Amino acid sequence: MTTLHIADEVATALAENRPVVALESTILSHGLPAPRNLAVAARLEKVVREAGAVPATIAVLDGVPHIGLSSAQLDHVCTAGDLAKLSLRDLGPAYALGRSGATTVASTTALAHQAGIRVFATGGLGGVHRGARETWDVSADLDVVATTPVLIVCSGVKSILDMGATLEVLETRSVPVVGYRTSRFPAFYRRESEFEVPWRVENAAEAAAVFAEGGRGMLLANPIPAAFEMDSALHDRLLAEGLQKLVDENVRGKDVSPVLLEHFHTASAGVSLDANEELVVNNASVAAAVAVELFQ
């Protein structure tokens, strides 16, 4: 069984029962272009520290799962260009074959829990893909959040997914979905979707209390800051174009999100990159505040 490599700062914080926030690496390696990804990586860790918690960016390097990365390791994740995208099912092969890869929501959540970290900040959760009635294309993220007692702060799910079906699966798996100062489920680039959230909290203390009482995985849905919300007309045009691109190029499975994100980034003249950065930084800030409250 492969042993986790936990960075000294993270290990000390865990041993002293201080708040730690897990951060994924796929957004850095596959979600944002270089060199912007490295600047975002530094910014994410900075906002977590400013809120009183310790950041733990997670990745697999040469077959070893790392909980917390050094500056050199972060630089490698952001610039290597050939890192595998590792979901939970991919961890065993990566360990055994000595491969390096960036962790998705599913694998980051599992590794965070294995390390003893209770709070994780990401951009958007994976979900049920459009057309899943035929393809059965459902993200592993949903099963992992349902079976792993980690609080995940995210800006809902991307509108490229079947949002209604995703929420139905979360309900079936008894995952608490809680809006952070919102009564509507966020749609990543957009602050609101047509779907309501069953519960709402107004601050980090309330979110921490809900998670502590629940004793299971929880989704804290935090909308993108209003100043960086994408214009609805631009969003709808990019979405329509992106969905057609998937059909034209026969893109499926785990390649769907990177291809669509790339289309949004290139066709929006940078608007989606700004949105992506600001929402994940905001989620990291909220996650750190919740983690601090959990340890009060």
Side-chain angles (χ1 to χ4, degrees):
M1 185 73 177
T2 298
T3 302
L4 300 180
H5 182 280
I6 303 179
D8 290 345
E9 180 189 18
V10 177
T12 299
L14 292 170
E16 295 176 353
N17 203 31
R18 292 190 284 115
V20 178
V21 173
L23 302 167
E24 64 159 300
S25 47
T26 291
I27 189 173
L28 304 176
S29 64
H30 293 76
L32 295 167
R36 185 166 187 158
N37 52 2
L38 192 58
V40 172
R43 192 176 171 202
L44 287 170
E45 297 207 345
K46 183 171 182 282
V47 299
V48 170
R49 287 195 173 92
E50 286 175 345
V54 172
T57 304
I58 295 177
V60 176
L61 303 175
D62 298 322
V64 178
H66 285 256
I67 313 299
L69 303 179
S70 67
S71 295
Q73 289 168 336
L74 265 178
D75 185 74
H76 177 69
V77 166
C78 291
T79 60
D82 60 350
L83 290 189
K85 184 179 178 182
L86 304 177
S87 188
L88 183 57
R89 69 170 185 175
D90 304 307
L91 292 181
Y95 298 164
L97 301 175
R99 303 289 169 79
S100 295
T103 53
T104 65
V105 170
S107 51
T108 304
T109 302
L111 289 170
H113 175 58
Q114 191 178 339
I117 301 171
R118 303 172 68 194
V119 180
F120 164 38
T122 186
L125 188 73
V128 179
H129 284 255
R130 295 169 187 244
R133 289 176 180 83
E134 288 75 40
T135 64
W136 292 82
D137 192 352
V138 180
S139 172
D141 295 357
L142 301 184
D143 268 350
V144 175
V145 68
T147 56
T148 312
V150 171
L151 184 153
I152 301 176
V153 182
C154 70
S155 296
V157 302
K158 298 180 185 73
S159 50
I160 61 176
L161 301 175
D162 187 330
M163 208 169 299
T166 298
L167 287 167
E168 287 292 344
V169 170
L170 289 169
E171 179 184 359
T172 299
R173 299 303 307 273
S174 298
V175 176
V177 178
V178 180
Y180 189 75
R181 299 175 181 168
T182 182
S183 299
R184 292 275 177 182
F185 192 66
F188 199 70
Y189 295 122
R190 300 286 299 163
R191 286 179 60 81
E192 293 184 354
S193 69
E194 62 187 288
F195 301 97
E196 295 183 354
V197 289
W199 295 96
R200 171 179 175 144
V201 295
E202 300 303 328
N203 52 55
E206 289 182 351
V210 172
F211 178 60
E213 290 293 340
R216 58 184 302 116
M218 171 178 144
L219 205 63
L220 187 62
N222 180 40
I224 182 173
F228 293 93
E229 181 179 29
M230 186 179 286
D231 173 75
S232 61
L234 174 62
H235 171 271
D236 292 349
R237 176 175 66 81
L238 294 174
L239 177 60
E241 292 172 353
L243 293 174
Q244 187 60 49
K245 183 180 178 73
L246 298 181
V247 174
D248 294 344
E249 299 180 8
N250 195 29
V251 179
R252 300 182 182 182
K254 66 181 182 181
D255 295 325
V256 167
S257 289
V259 168
L260 279 169
L261 278 175
E262 176 63 21
H263 175 70
F264 266 76
H265 294 341
T266 55
S268 70
V271 171
S272 72
L273 277 172
D274 291 341
N276 205 346
E277 175 175 346
E278 295 303 328
L279 69 84
V280 73
V281 168
N282 188 42
N283 290 344
S285 180
V286 169
V290 174
V292 168
E293 290 292 342
L294 275 173
F295 286 86
Q296 292 296 333

